[in-house]
Each structure stands twice: as structure tokens, then as C-alpha cells.
């Protein structure tokens, strides 16, 4: 059985943009699309689902489509459904969120707890509809990026576009050399040279997706700034999230929070396996 791509809706314009994006994504990956509306009590749910289903059919008529209404709180319902999903797709702000919020509370909660990739659909039309031909993935030192890199390579493969892998690094504390340059002491303080971090993270995935053109960018500076700048000309930004030992959910961290709140394009949060 092929697991579906699930899109969560609440009737907001943001969730309808997510339906458009999810329909295109399901078509690219040849998976079913499941529209899910979850709310503890909502008498308008059947109409909301019908409108979203019609929108999905207009966007991608060939996609196998199903829908469901769950009378539960949205965040736990979506997280539960995500245990058997290709991915979860959400709008960046829902009906119940304060107008000044940059990211809806449901979207943030789901991104922090889901077992599958969560895509928060942000940005204008040019970013949501593949006009840049670039998928950007953030690579960190350690084991947190492997699944995210594989996800990003697969996205670039099905989109037939370029993958841009970005690794940002900072001079270790106590580096005695000039600003922006690494002394021998600082080089020894780094576990691996920044370029090697990227090469190691990309090796296995790029061997699986040999048709994908890959660009590597090593940036000296804050990861948040580097990823947001790279995302300015991207169709999708992919970041990884580590498991929190002894806690339920993922370690989103400050960088992931920043891109979820401020990225100009859709953001995929991919849990580490």
C-alpha cells in the first residue's frame, strides 16, 4: 500500500495554498493525496473539505484523492496521521492564529512532533510554483542532516532541478588569528573542515540520485542568515531535525525556528531517522 501525502486544512487561504502545493507534490511523487480537516467542533467542516477537494482536482486532476474529517484538536490529529504518511503539508498560518503571528501554532507544533517530513508552505506564487529551479538544503556538522539531504536530493530529482547544499560555520571561540581566517589552532578545534562536512553529507545521496546537479556553498557566518539568503531564490528549503533524548518530539533549534518563521519559500522539516 502506498502511503499518502497528507495536507491539513482549516479553510484559511494559507491552507488552500497548501492544498495547491500538496496536489503538485503528490503528482510529482505519484502518491495519493489525503485532505484532512481536524477540529474539536466545526459544523462547517464538510464544506471546507469539499472546497479543498475541488481545488486539488483543479490543480492536479490525475492525483488519487481522499478526504477525512476528524473531531479532534488539530495538532495531535495531524501528528497521529503523520505516522502513516509520505509527508504532512500545512499552511503557514491558520484561521485561529493572531494576525501578527509569523507562523501558526498548529504548524509549529506539528513540525516539532511529527514522525514524517513536514512541509510548511510559505512565500509568494513564484516560490510556491517552482519558478527558480533550486532546492536548498541546510547541512550541519554531525548526524542530523543525512535524512534531510536524502529528502532534498529526491525533491531535486523529481523536480528536475538543481540542489544547493549550504553549510555555515563560525570561527571557534579563542581563535587567535585574524577575523574570517582560521589559525592552525582553530583548524584543530573544528571536528572537520567545513568543505569536508558538506562532501561527507552529500556523498551517499548524490550517488543514489546521480542525475541531480549539486552546488555546494560553504558560508562563514550564522546558519540562519545563510539559509534565509539561499532561500530567497529557492522553490523549497529543507532542514533536518534531531530527536530529543528523553523527550517526545524533535529538536528544532533556533535555526529551524528562524526559517519556519521567516523563509520566503516552502520549508520542509525532515526528522532524523
Amino acid at each position: 500500500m502506498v502511503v499518502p501525502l497528507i495536507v491539513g486544512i482549516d479553510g484559511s487561504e494559507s491552507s488552500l495554498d497548501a492544498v495547491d502545493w500538496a496536489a503538485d507534490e503528490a503528482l510529482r511523487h505519484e502518491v495519493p493525496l489525503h485532505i484532512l480537516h481536524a477540529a474539536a467542533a466545526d459544523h462547517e467542516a464538510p464544506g471546507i473539505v469539499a472546497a479543498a477537494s475541488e481545488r486539488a482536482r483543479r490543480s492536479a486532476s490525475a492525483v488519487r484523492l481522499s478526504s477525512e474529517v476528524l473531531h479532534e484538536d488539530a495538532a495531535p490529529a495531524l501528528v497521529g496521521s503523520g505516522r502513516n504518511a509520505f509527508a504532512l503539508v500545512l499552511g503557514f498560518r491558520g484561521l485561529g492564529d493572531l494576525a501578527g503571528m509569523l507562523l501558526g501554532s498548529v504548524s509549529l507544533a506539528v513540525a516539532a512532533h511529527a514522525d514524517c517530513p513536514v512541509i510548511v508552505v510559505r512565500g509568494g506564487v513564484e516560490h510556491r510554483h517552482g519558478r527558480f529551479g533550486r532546492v536548498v538544503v541546510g547541512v550541519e556538522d554531525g548526524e542530523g542532516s543525512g535524512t534531510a539531504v536524502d529528502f532534498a536530493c529526491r525533491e531535486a530529482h523529481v523536480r528536475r532541478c538543481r540542489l544547493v547544499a549550504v553549510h555555515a560555520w563560525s570561527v571557534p571561540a579563542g581563535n587567535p588569528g585574524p577575523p574570517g581566517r582560521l589559525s592552525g589552532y582553530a583548524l584543530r578545534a573544528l571536528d572537520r573542515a567545513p568543505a569536508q562536512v558538506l562532501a561527507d553529507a552529500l556523498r551517499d545521496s548524490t550517488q543514489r540520485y546521480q542525475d541531480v546537479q549539486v552546488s555546494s556553498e560553504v558560508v562563514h557566518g550564522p546558519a540562519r542568515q545563510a539559509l534565509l539568503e539561499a532561500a530567497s531564490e529557492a522553490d523549497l528549503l529543507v532542514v533536518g531535525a534531531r530527536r530529543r533524548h528523553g523527550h517526545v518530539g524533535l529538536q528544532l533549534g533556533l535555526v529551524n525556528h528562524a526559517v519556519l518563521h521567516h523563509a520566503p519559500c516552502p520549508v520542509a522539516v525532515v526528522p532524523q531517522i
Side-chain angles (χ1 to χ4, degrees):
M1 178 180 176
V2 179
V3 295
L5 178 71
I6 297 177
V7 56
I9 62 166
D10 62 3
S12 65
E13 189 60 34
S14 178
S15 75
L16 291 176
D17 288 339
V19 169
D20 291 340
W21 194 94
D24 290 341
E25 181 77 349
L27 191 63
R28 279 190 287 265
H29 289 279
E30 299 180 342
V31 297
L33 177 62
H34 186 66
I35 295 174
L36 177 61
H37 176 69
D42 188 348
H43 299 299
E44 299 180 357
I48 291 173
V49 170
S53 298
E54 178 59 29
R55 185 133 170 181
R57 290 189 188 97
R58 290 200 305 267
S59 295
S61 59
V63 169
R64 289 169 287 167
L65 188 64
S66 60
S67 61
E68 182 180 11
V69 175
L70 293 178
H71 297 289
E72 307 173 28
D73 289 338
L78 287 160
V79 170
S81 298
R83 296 190 182 101
N84 189 37
F86 181 82
L88 286 168
V89 180
L90 305 168
F92 74 97
R93 186 163 58 232
L95 288 174
D97 296 306
L98 298 174
M101 292 183 68
L102 296 172
L103 179 69
S105 57
V106 171
S107 298
L108 183 59
V110 174
H113 291 91
D115 292 325
C116 67
V118 175
I119 299 96
V120 176
V121 178
R122 301 183 54 87
V125 173
E126 69 277 9
H127 287 92
R128 299 197 309 268
H129 294 285
R131 296 184 181 177
F132 291 97
R134 286 165 38 118
V135 171
V136 173
V137 60
V139 175
E140 60 179 340
D141 198 359
E143 299 178 354
S145 300
T147 312
V149 169
D150 205 58
F151 180 93
C153 277
R154 184 175 61 181
E155 284 295 321
H157 168 73
V158 298
R159 294 163 181 264
R160 297 182 175 86
C161 73
R162 176 177 293 276
L163 175 68
V164 180
V166 178
H167 173 60
W169 62 276
S170 299
V171 176
N175 174 44
R181 296 183 61 185
L182 286 177
S183 66
Y185 167 84
L187 282 170
R188 290 191 296 273
L190 290 173
D191 291 332
R192 289 177 294 169
Q196 191 62 48
V197 171
L198 267 178
D200 291 346
L202 291 169
R203 184 177 298 108
D204 291 344
S205 296
T206 53
Q207 287 178 355
R208 279 191 290 273
Y209 299 99
Q210 296 186 16
D211 62 316
V212 174
Q213 292 185 327
V214 180
S215 299
S216 297
E217 295 185 4
V218 174
V219 179
H220 174 230
R224 163 184 167 155
Q225 180 180 343
L227 291 176
L228 290 176
E229 288 180 358
S232 66
E233 295 185 349
D235 304 317
L236 179 66
L237 171 61
V238 181
V239 292
R242 299 180 182 182
R243 302 289 176 187
R244 295 189 295 178
H245 297 296
H247 297 276
V248 176
L250 303 171
Q251 183 64 54
L252 290 183
L254 295 177
V255 173
N256 286 7
H257 274 273
V259 299
L260 283 168
H261 281 85
H262 298 287
C265 67
V267 177
V269 178
V270 182
Q272 177 187 356
I273 293 179

